[in-house]
Amino acid sequence: MLGNCIKKRLLIIALSAVMCACGAAGLFAKEYLFGGKNGWPVFMQQEGITTGKGRYGYDCIELASNSFVFDEYTDLLIDFEDADMPISDGDYVINRNSFQQTNQTKNEKAAGLSRNMGGLAISGKPGTFFGSEGLMGSFSFEFWLCPSIAENGEMVLNWESSRNEDGQLVFQVINGTFDKGHIKWELNNIFDLYQNEAGKNEVELKGSSKIIPDTWSYHVLSFDCETGILEYLVNGITEDITYITTDRKESGDVSLVYLGTPSEVAICSEYTGKLDDFRILRRPYSPPDYQSAENAGSIGHMQYQPGGGRFVTKPIMVSTGSVLNKLEAEMNVPAQTAVCYYVRSGENFFGWTENEPEWKPVESGEELKGITGLYFQVMAELMPDGNGEKTPAITSISLDFTELPEPLPPFVVRAVAGNGSVTVSWNYSVDDTAGGYYLYYGTRPGEYLGRMAIEGQSPINVGNTTSYTVTGLENGKIYYFAVAAWSAYDMRVVGNLSKEVFARPLARLK
């Protein structure tokens, strides 16, 4: 008994010394890289993120711009993300397109570049705003504009048609043009029953703030058929407003939109500069939900959603009992932005839920403790600044972890048949990290699926011994055996199999 205790104590001391030496030399330290030179994998989950260009020219993960989306109120959406089809959604056809795609964009990855060569001409199919004839409801025209010159007469939007009024054709116009550094809107004979002070069915709205060349600005022309309010907004601030009512006041009866024969819409037909996310809505403009009551109208459209974005990697398989030492991220975090990292681990990810195992918050470069398992998973949350103008960017995430070494198998293995049994013996593994052995058996070479032995099904944990007898075997049948060592640090870490041996139990054998 005393001898066994001394042997066990010496083994533990030896194993500790080996582990310290291995740790010091970094023999078992490994790294798993997301992003960087490896590129980013497909995520298990992602919300509000996209790829951009990070450090060293590698792809980075950053917040997706808060671009317009096609919803139940959207009649048309032009985002220029597809060079061949700038219309991303909406029942419109392209008659002419002289826009070029540019990566100098406001939202997402592409914008349209116009060089005063005709712009984009489209026609709406029946049921669309510009493809229908008769009374219409509310509308909003929204777009981002970045002019190169902002010269007088440059045309952003133009629609011309006619309607029949008491047997006479009446010329209709919706026109948005540059005028002395501002955009002027003209809507002639668009509203039924409306007359201005001069007795004409003509409306003019004009911006008050200067349109600055090479600067993006957000523009909205909106009409509310419930209130009769027609307004023009720049960057979320109302610059001109009027009531389309019988008395041009809030108290009058609202005049509705009445469009005549469907005709072509020209977008930036005479314009030099960039255009992004042009959208027609069948509702009046309303400030986005993220605007509080106290600052409503101060910003029309944030570049990034205040809630930010996030991604969750797929679980990565390392080896049983691995220890996560550190998460290090190569990133750019502008002032007032933030990135939060979380990790979790376990031996089997198939039973994982959104919150189980629990996510543990970690800092980049922080020394970690208590995060072990066969699988690791990473989650990152990206937050913009308070004005929604800046995004953090993650070029790469490196996981530094330690794998427990797999102990070497015994080099010498023997099998001796008996009567309904086989005794398998081996030499101790030369690997001091071996804490014990598994004995594998079966009836076909290389397939150790045995279940018939009295001692249990394959593999049998025989402990720290060098000989074991398997009983309950069928005489005359051949059996195959192999031995593998398990780690003294974690029994779940099992090394490779030894060479295979075989034996045939016989009744005549003792």
Side-chain angles (χ1 to χ4, degrees):
M1 176 74 77
L2 180 60
N4 288 337
C5 291
I6 293 173
K7 285 182 180 179
K8 288 183 178 179
R9 179 63 178 166
L10 290 175
L11 175 63
I12 292 173
I13 293 173
L15 290 175
S16 299
V18 171
M19 189 66 171
C20 290
C22 291
L27 295 179
F28 309 125
K30 291 195 172 183
E31 179 188 70
Y32 191 96
L33 185 67
F34 297 101
K37 61 183 180 182
N38 291 348
W40 290 96
V42 175
F43 296 128
M44 177 173 281
Q45 298 176 27
Q46 66 179 67
E47 301 167 11
I49 61 166
T50 187
T51 55
K53 283 301 175 186
R55 295 183 177 179
Y56 318 118
Y58 296 131
D59 283 348
C60 70
I61 300 299
E62 61 187 18
L63 290 173
S65 58
N66 184 20
S67 56
F68 296 149
V69 295
F70 193 91
D71 58 22
E72 59 182 315
Y73 299 105
T74 306
D75 184 72
L76 170 68
L77 178 58
I78 304 173
D79 60 12
F80 300 99
E81 295 302 308
D82 186 333
D84 297 324
M85 175 51 72
I87 297 177
S88 66
D89 224 323
D91 217 0
Y92 284 75
V93 295
I94 296 176
N95 303 326
R96 180 181 67 257
N97 180 20
S98 64
F99 270 99
Q100 296 177 346
Q101 197 179 52
T102 175
N103 59 7
Q104 297 176 12
T105 177
K106 181 61 179 178
N107 296 313
E108 297 188 88
K109 299 186 181 301
L113 176 63
S114 174
R115 299 186 183 276
N116 198 14
M117 298 173 63
L120 180 67
I122 60 176
S123 294
K125 296 181 180 179
T128 62
F129 186 83
F130 283 114
S132 304
E133 183 174 2
L135 289 171
M136 310 293 286
S138 302
F139 69 82
S140 295
F141 304 151
E142 300 181 274
F143 54 90
W144 287 91
L145 202 65
C146 183
S148 298
I149 305 172
E151 187 175 15
N152 283 354
E154 287 194 283
M155 192 171 294
V156 177
L157 178 70
N158 178 249
W159 178 80
E160 297 179 358
S161 183
S162 62
R163 76 181 191 197
N164 189 309
E165 189 175 297
D166 297 329
Q168 305 230 343
L169 286 180
V170 177
F171 187 58
Q172 291 185 298
V173 171
I174 299 177
N175 203 15
T177 57
F178 278 88
D179 181 36
K180 299 178 181 178
H182 311 274
I183 291 183
K184 179 177 68 176
W185 293 97
E186 296 172 296
L187 296 90
N188 297 339
N189 299 310
I190 298 299
F191 303 99
D192 71 333
L193 307 178
Y194 175 79
Q195 289 186 342
N196 61 18
E197 294 177 352
K200 295 183 179 181
N201 193 338
E202 297 177 355
V203 184
E204 182 178 301
L205 296 179
K206 189 173 182 181
S208 56
S209 60
K210 276 271 190 182
I211 305 299
I212 304 172
D214 297 320
T215 301
W216 285 103
S217 52
Y218 170 59
H219 300 258
V220 180
L221 179 67
S222 170
F223 173 69
D224 188 339
C225 69
E226 297 293 328
T227 63
I229 292 177
L230 177 69
E231 61 180 328
Y232 171 47
L233 304 94
V234 178
N235 293 328
I237 300 174
T238 299
E239 302 222 330
D240 202 356
I241 188 170
T242 188
Y243 279 94
I244 306 300
T245 60
T246 52
D247 60 1
R248 300 180 299 282
K249 297 178 183 178
E250 186 177 1
S251 57
D253 295 330
V254 175
S255 293
L256 299 177
V257 175
Y258 193 109
L259 298 185
T261 305
S263 61
E264 185 176 270
V265 183
I267 300 171
C268 296
S269 58
E270 300 175 28
Y271 166 76
T272 302
K274 296 182 283 290
L275 177 74
D276 202 4
D277 276 16
F278 181 96
R279 180 168 67 164
I280 298 176
L281 293 175
R282 305 292 282 268
R283 63 166 173 79
Y285 170 78
S286 60
D289 292 340
Y290 49 72
Q291 292 182 322
S292 63
E294 60 194 29
N295 65 6
S298 64
I299 237 178
H301 188 88
M302 284 187 174
Q303 176 74 9
Y304 303 106
Q305 285 279 10
R310 69 171 194 139
F311 64 83
V312 179
T313 68
K314 294 180 179 179
I316 62 165
M317 186 173 73
V318 281
S319 65
T320 300
S322 293
V323 179
L324 183 60
N325 303 315
K326 188 185 299 183
L327 177 151
E328 287 193 282
E330 181 72 44
M331 55 185 173
N332 177 34
V333 186
Q336 300 181 38
T337 68
V339 179
C340 302
Y341 296 100
Y342 305 84
V343 297
R344 63 179 179 178
S345 62
E347 295 299 329
N348 188 337
F349 76 87
F350 294 105
W352 289 9
T353 66
E354 188 172 349
N355 298 311
E356 292 293 336
E358 181 183 1
W359 290 101
K360 299 180 180 179
V362 299
E363 295 285 340
S364 175
E366 171 190 12
E367 294 292 334
L368 306 177
K369 293 182 180 179
I371 302 176
T372 66
L374 175 61
Y375 295 93
F376 296 141
Q377 192 174 27
V378 177
M379 176 170 65
E381 295 176 339
L382 292 76
M383 300 295 178
D385 65 313
N387 287 328
E389 297 175 346
K390 301 175 184 176
T391 175
I394 306 172
T395 300
S396 65
I397 298 174
S398 171
L399 299 184
D400 178 283
F401 63 97
T402 302
E403 286 187 333
L404 293 177
E406 295 182 355
L408 296 172
F411 290 153
V412 179
V413 182
R414 297 170 293 275
V416 178
N419 182 5
S421 66
V422 172
T423 298
V424 183
S425 59
W426 56 89
N427 293 345
Y428 279 114
S429 170
V430 297
D431 192 336
D432 287 338
T433 65
Y437 301 91
Y438 280 109
L439 176 60
Y440 294 76
Y441 71 95
T443 57
R444 294 174 61 86
E447 293 184 5
Y448 307 114
L449 306 176
R451 304 174 63 87
M452 65 292 295
I454 294 174
E455 290 72 21
Q457 67 183 37
S458 174
I460 303 169
N461 186 348
V462 301
N464 191 22
T465 184
T466 58
S467 179
Y468 196 82
T469 299
V470 181
T471 62
L473 305 181
E474 183 181 340
N475 284 330
K477 181 175 280 190
I478 190 169
Y479 293 88
Y480 299 85
F481 302 87
V483 179
W486 49 261
S487 173
Y489 308 117
D490 191 325
M491 189 182 295
R492 297 169 301 177
V493 179
V494 181
N496 294 326
L497 294 173
S498 68
K499 72 172 186 177
E500 183 178 81
V501 295
F502 61 89
R504 190 188 304 271
L506 296 171
R508 63 181 175 78
L509 298 174
K510 294 182 180 180

